[in-house]
Amino acid sequence: QVQLQESGPGLVKPSGTLSLTCAVSGGSMRGSNWWSWVRQPPGKGLEWIGEILHSGKTNYNPSLKSRVTISVDESKNQFSLRLTSVAAADTAVYYCAREGGSQLGYFETWGQGAPVTVAS
Amino acid sequence: EIVLTQSPGTLSLSPGERATLSCRASQSVAKSYIAWYQQKPGQAPRLLIYGASSRATGIPDRFSGSGSGTDFTLTINRLEPEDFAVFYCQQYGSSPLTFGGGTKVEIK
């Protein structure tokens, strides 16, 4: 079955850029599934960041839209998150997930999560 | 944006008891597009229910979901020791996708 694995720096400086990659294995990103990023600050709930289709079409959470870019590399079967101008409030575990249904769906498969701390 | 309010915040129950978790939306959720997740410490969430009442693959039938409009419920019959965790509801009827604040089900 499909498995997801996040990777990237665990520490980012304030005002810097957070970059994470999600590698997809056990299946292709092509097809009708959308792929998302979700984050969870320490001890808090879940926040959807945005989603992408293999073609590159995206949808973002308006609360983060000005700072977020999600991109896809079909040749590597992976997709990426870029979050600019980070602050301490962006400290969280970042999950990538495959959606069920069509776009703007539920999250049927999750990666294990990548903890990211924003600190100098 | 649809705001989801989960109650209670914490539910203290014993194994074998029934858990009833509530998720109330600030406006009607289109097509009852509500999902429920279970999250244990240090783990990613796990999908339990989608479409308000459809169990995800491999989820035991002691987990059931119901509801429509603005009020949704997750019921766990006969709690097993491995069921104790935090549960989140999520709506996918409109953008942005949003989650409730969670209900912790703890061992009494």
Side-chain angles (χ1 to χ4, degrees), chain B residues 5-108:
Chain B
T5 301
Q6 291 188 242
S7 61
T10 302
L11 202 49
S12 297
L13 295 168
S14 300
E17 292 191 297
R18 172 184 293 178
T20 303
L21 287 65
S22 173
C23 177
R24 179 161 292 176
S26 59
Q27 55 190 281
S28 185
V29 178
K31 302 180 183 179
S32 295
Y33 277 173
I34 286 286
W36 289 91
Y37 303 86
Q38 177 190 52
Q39 186 178 36
K40 297 179 181 180
Q43 296 184 16
R46 177 177 71 145
L47 176 68
L48 300 174
I49 301 287
Y50 63 94
S53 61
S54 297
R55 270 188 302 277
T57 303
I59 301 303
D61 60 7
R62 64 179 180 274
F63 291 91
S64 63
S66 63
S68 64
T70 60
D71 290 307
F72 299 89
T73 301
L74 175 70
T75 302
I76 313 171
N77 286 311
R78 302 179 307 278
L79 280 164
E80 297 284 345
E82 63 268 25
D83 296 339
F84 292 89
V86 178
F87 294 83
Y88 294 97
C89 59
Q90 176 230 337
Q91 68 80 24
Y92 54 103
S94 65
S95 184
L97 307 178
T98 52
F99 293 86
T103 290
K104 181 178 182 180
V105 179
E106 64 177 21
I107 299 177
K108 186 175 182 180

Side-chain angles (χ1 to χ4, degrees), chain A residues 39-46 91-93 95, chain B residues 39 41-42 86 88 100-102 104:
Chain A
R39 69 179 182 177
Q40 185 172 37
K44 296 188 178 180
L46 300 158
T91 293
V93 175
Y95 296 99
Chain B
Q39 186 178 36
V86 178
Y88 294 97
K104 181 178 182 180

Side-chain angles (χ1 to χ4, degrees), chain A residues 19-34:
Chain A
S19 296
L20 294 172
T21 295
C22 180
V24 179
S25 60
S28 172
M29 287 192 65
R30 292 194 176 194
S32 60
N33 290 100
W34 286 69

